[in-house]
Amino acid sequence: MEKSHDRLGRRLRVPLSEGYKGYRFNRIETGSSHFVTVRDLELLKFLHIHGEHQTTSSLFEATKHLGKNFKSLQHRLPILTHEMGLLTRPPQQLNCYMPSRNDLIYRLTPKAFDVLEENGLLRENVVDTSSHFAHQVMQSYCLAWFDLNSRETKLNFVPQHEITSVNHLTVGDRRVYPDGMFMLTDGQKSLLIFLEIDRDTEAVRSWKTNKQSIELKLKHYREIIGKGIYKKQLGITCGAFVLFVTVNQRREDAILDAVKEVVGKNSYILTTHEDGFDFDFSPPKNIDLLGRKWHRSGHPDWQFPVT
């Protein structure tokens, strides 16, 4: 069996040909006598539904009703990774400023999907995270924390796969793919949410009519929500918001200026920002997306009715 530590307990490095990544991010096949537990299944299901990329802290929050000891989860995650082969730690998380200060990020392996299917937990039309790694993490993380925040309120989180069988809407001859769709409900009233993640990588405005930009997205949502296209295409009758989450105050202000110019006074396009996902990339251990104030163009700030 290949050793992962030396006689002093120090973690060994992999050969130069494999890129000096270290065993922290390269899974070692050790063989396993471990069995999948109820908490393991809950953890895998949470990852599956919310885009596959989650930190240690968010996985603890998702499963703390099954075990309140954080250290026990810290001990279990390497077992799920190295011995059971159900999780992996994407090496891309090393490509940021001071990665050692961040929580480890975990992702499902193909073997994990087999386990989910065997236990009847595999779902169709979950959130698609097929973009750049940093975007994937921010997308998955925000979706997860909307769910986790709702557990502390009177609101219930309804994930995308329980709402619709499609992951896009059609505006004219173009398909629009939100970064996430979910519903918040208190049992009497419901609100459909379209999530848009912005990492300041695309233009706010573009002189090319069909080039992807914030301006083009705003025009699409003017049709989708403003004209009620989503009601017909998704078969949903409740109201809807589109939430833009970006990476800094400057970028958020630019998006709000674009809303004012493209749509005008508007109540259904909301914005906020999370500095931890900016270029230094240090995802916060937890975020409160429901308790904060969201900003709008020409309307007072919005806060979700959490009490």
Side-chain angles (χ1 to χ4, degrees), residues 5-67:
H5 294 74
D6 64 15
R7 293 174 63 184
L8 298 178
R10 295 174 298 195
R11 193 182 300 273
L12 296 173
R13 295 284 181 175
V14 296
L16 179 62
S17 60
E18 297 185 29
Y20 275 125
K21 290 298 183 183
Y23 281 104
R24 197 179 195 205
F25 298 95
N26 288 268
R27 186 166 63 81
I28 312 161
E29 290 287 357
T30 63
S32 175
S33 59
H34 296 278
F35 296 94
V36 176
T37 67
V38 173
R39 188 176 191 177
D40 295 339
L41 288 175
E42 184 70 17
L43 184 150
L44 298 179
K45 177 185 173 184
F46 186 80
L47 275 161
H48 172 47
I49 290 175
H50 295 305
E52 296 186 42
H53 296 78
Q54 298 298 333
T55 64
T56 306
S57 295
S58 58
L59 292 175
F60 172 70
E61 288 295 323
T63 60
K64 66 182 182 181
H65 61 291
L66 297 172

Side-chain angles (χ1 to χ4, degrees), residues 60-232:
F60 172 70
E61 288 295 323
T63 60
K64 66 182 182 181
H65 61 291
L66 297 172
K68 295 184 178 181
N69 190 319
F70 182 75
K71 288 187 177 180
S72 68
L73 179 66
Q74 283 183 309
H75 175 72
R76 185 65 177 174
L77 288 173
I79 293 173
L80 292 172
T81 303
H82 295 299
E83 299 188 37
M84 300 177 70
L86 298 176
L87 299 178
T88 184
R89 297 164 174 171
Q92 296 98 317
Q93 61 191 291
L94 289 171
N95 302 327
C96 66
Y97 180 67
M98 293 183 68
S100 60
R101 72 180 180 180
N102 295 340
D103 265 2
L104 284 170
I105 297 170
Y106 289 88
R107 184 176 184 176
L108 298 177
T109 65
K111 185 176 179 180
F113 287 100
D114 293 338
V115 171
L116 287 167
E117 186 172 16
E118 290 169 4
N119 287 274
L121 297 174
L122 197 62
R123 300 289 181 262
E124 299 292 335
N125 194 41
V126 295
V127 176
D128 177 31
T129 55
S130 56
S131 54
H132 185 271
F133 174 75
H135 185 103
Q136 293 173 2
V137 174
M138 186 175 176
Q139 176 187 6
S140 299
Y141 202 69
C142 288
L143 284 167
W145 278 97
F146 270 112
D147 183 1
L148 295 172
N149 292 160
S150 72
R151 299 180 187 187
E152 307 297 327
T153 72
K154 68 175 184 178
L155 300 176
N156 293 317
F157 177 94
V158 184
Q160 177 174 298
H161 69 273
E162 295 183 17
I163 299 172
T164 176
S165 59
V166 298
N167 64 350
H168 67 273
L169 296 103
T170 304
V171 178
D173 59 352
R174 188 166 182 138
R175 287 185 171 184
V176 178
Y177 293 86
D179 285 317
M181 287 186 279
F182 60 90
M183 191 175 288
L184 295 171
T185 177
D186 63 3
Q188 296 181 337
K189 295 181 180 180
S190 299
L191 182 66
L192 178 65
I193 302 294
F194 298 103
L195 180 65
E196 288 291 341
I197 297 299
D198 174 75
R199 295 202 66 256
D200 198 2
T201 56
E202 62 187 26
V204 175
R205 298 174 182 83
S206 176
W207 60 272
K208 292 184 178 180
T209 306
N210 291 320
K211 184 177 180 181
Q212 186 73 310
S213 65
I214 297 298
E215 179 182 10
L216 183 60
K217 287 182 179 180
L218 294 174
K219 289 178 178 178
H220 286 159
Y221 283 108
R222 184 176 60 189
E223 300 295 313
I224 291 170
I225 301 178
K227 295 187 178 180
I229 288 177
Y230 74 93
K231 293 183 178 180
K232 181 178 180 180

Side-chain angles (χ1 to χ4, degrees), residues 286-303:
N286 58 73
I287 52 177
D288 186 2
L289 293 169
L290 290 181
R292 69 178 60 190
K293 291 183 178 180
W294 291 76
H295 307 117
R296 301 187 287 185
S297 173
H299 282 269
D301 293 344
W302 168 269
Q303 234 177 330

